[in-house]
Amino acid sequence: MEKVQGLIAAAFTPFHEDGSINYSLIPALVDKLVEDGLRGIFVCGSNGEGPNMTTTERMEVAAAFTKAANKRLLIFVHVGHSSIAEARQLAAHAQQIGADAISAVAAFYFKPTSVQNLADSMAQIAAAAPELPFYYYHIPHLTGVGMDMIQFLEIAGPAIPNLAGIKYTATTLQEYQACLQYQGGKYDILYGLDEMLLPAMAVGAKGAIGSTYTFAAPLYLQTMEAFRKGDMERARALHAYMVEVIRILVKYPPIPGQKAIMQMLGWDLGPCRLPLTTFPEAAYLKFRDELAALSFFDKAPARNVVHT
């Protein structure tokens, strides 16, 4: 299996003001991500509010992104669900529409009770799309499932023929490195915390999936290029800048905050769905002023301004 190198954007799902999905905006958003130099798109994950959508909506959104990408970008479809039956349906659909990979979080209501139980659950989901690479989505701060990922690879590897790797969204870089090196680097372990991209690269990361890549991919790609060239001073400076941006972002609810940034850049992706809430005007203006103080809008200028 060819490992992913570069950045995959965890894309937002556009909504109309009434909460319905704004499918018409997806092609322009995909074009933006192509122009920004992304390697792929992660659809219906945390950023895309997948858990806030119905199974039918998730299928329709996945199909819209896949059609718009037209093989210009890899399409990773998140199929995780508290119901394994629903997850299997989403996985089978992703294979049917021509997506490039699937990924699933652990069930987050009735949680897996052991690594074996987790691997058994993921095997059921992956088996519904046997032709697609499957990535377990490790994000313990959201799912509450924080099991040993080396043990997971040991158990899941033989049980899941299409196991490609892990979307590793956690701060435990020592375990991340161990996963990268497991069985001579057999698996594709994609890093998932944007503010730790440079440290992850230092221990071997070549590919990453993240939310802020949707609006700041060129800045991260400059960091990656400086690292590859051995210009560590520049890589650290570029990375430190995005850390400062994220330090501002995390003072606000992260998904509504990032949708607000997209709006500031000319991309009105609509509101979030409850229990997520859209920024009130005062918070929006304060947030914008804080980003402007870092010259963020000079470094990530608006392009392809689109209105709903």
Side-chain angles (χ1 to χ4, degrees), residues 13-304:
T13 300
F15 293 108
H16 291 294
E17 286 301 318
D18 65 1
S20 61
I21 297 169
N22 184 357
Y23 295 100
S24 66
L25 195 50
I26 289 174
L29 181 57
V30 170
D31 288 345
K32 174 202 186 309
L33 298 176
V34 171
E35 292 171 12
D36 282 353
L38 273 300
R39 183 74 180 90
I41 306 174
F42 194 83
V43 180
C44 291
S46 308
N47 241 37
E49 298 184 62
N52 274 352
M53 291 191 284
T54 67
T55 296
T56 298
E57 287 175 328
R58 289 172 67 171
M59 289 180 176
E60 291 173 350
V61 168
F65 271 100
T66 302
K67 180 180 179 181
N70 193 25
K71 297 302 179 183
R72 295 176 296 165
L73 294 166
L74 297 172
I75 298 295
F76 280 56
V77 178
H78 174 245
V79 301
H81 200 288
S82 283
S83 163
I84 289 179
E86 294 293 305
R88 284 176 54 83
Q89 188 177 353
L90 288 163
H93 177 263
Q95 180 172 293
Q96 177 187 342
I97 63 175
D100 297 288
I102 56 172
S103 181
V105 295
F108 40 85
Y109 187 83
F110 295 121
K111 297 177 176 61
T113 56
S114 66
V115 178
Q116 182 68 59
N117 190 217
L118 173 63
D120 290 345
S121 300
M122 293 302 111
Q124 284 285 313
I125 296 169
E131 297 174 15
L132 292 185
F134 175 80
Y135 289 77
Y136 172 56
Y137 185 176
H138 179 57
I139 185 165
H141 66 274
L142 282 184
T143 61
V145 179
M147 296 177 181
D148 187 306
M149 286 296 97
I150 291 295
Q151 290 183 16
F152 174 79
L153 291 174
E154 290 171 349
I155 296 171
I160 304 176
N162 53 333
L163 179 65
I166 298 172
K167 179 186 185 295
Y168 194 100
T169 307
T171 60
T172 42
L173 280 178
Q174 74 282 3
E175 185 184 70
Y176 173 73
Q177 183 177 21
C179 291
L180 284 173
Q181 296 175 338
Y182 178 71
Q183 290 192 356
K186 178 179 180 178
Y187 293 104
D188 192 17
I189 313 297
L190 300 171
Y191 197 64
L193 287 175
D194 310 8
E195 63 272 34
M196 292 182 66
L197 177 61
L198 184 58
M201 291 178 67
V203 299
K206 298 291 194 300
I209 301 175
S211 56
T212 62
Y213 305 152
T214 303
F215 53 81
L219 298 175
Y220 289 102
L221 290 171
Q222 291 174 38
T223 302
M224 297 180 79
E225 181 63 18
F227 179 86
R228 279 192 292 265
K229 290 180 175 178
D231 188 349
M232 294 307 299
E233 183 176 352
R234 175 168 168 76
R236 283 192 292 266
L238 289 164
H239 189 262
Y241 177 77
M242 284 311 303
V243 168
E244 287 304 307
V245 171
I246 292 172
R247 280 173 57 82
I248 293 172
L249 170 63
V250 297
K251 294 191 293 184
Y252 301 87
I255 295 172
Q258 290 175 92
K259 271 197 165 181
I261 290 175
M262 291 294 286
Q263 185 172 358
M264 295 169 197
L265 294 173
W267 294 85
D268 186 355
L269 302 182
C272 295
R273 285 186 173 178
L274 289 171
L276 299 176
T277 56
T278 304
F279 275 21
E281 184 177 6
Y284 177 91
L285 295 174
K286 183 175 183 291
F287 187 28
R288 187 182 65 186
D289 288 346
E290 289 180 275
L291 292 171
L294 286 180
S295 301
F296 176 75
F297 302 109
D298 297 325
K299 297 177 184 292
R303 294 191 300 170
N304 294 334

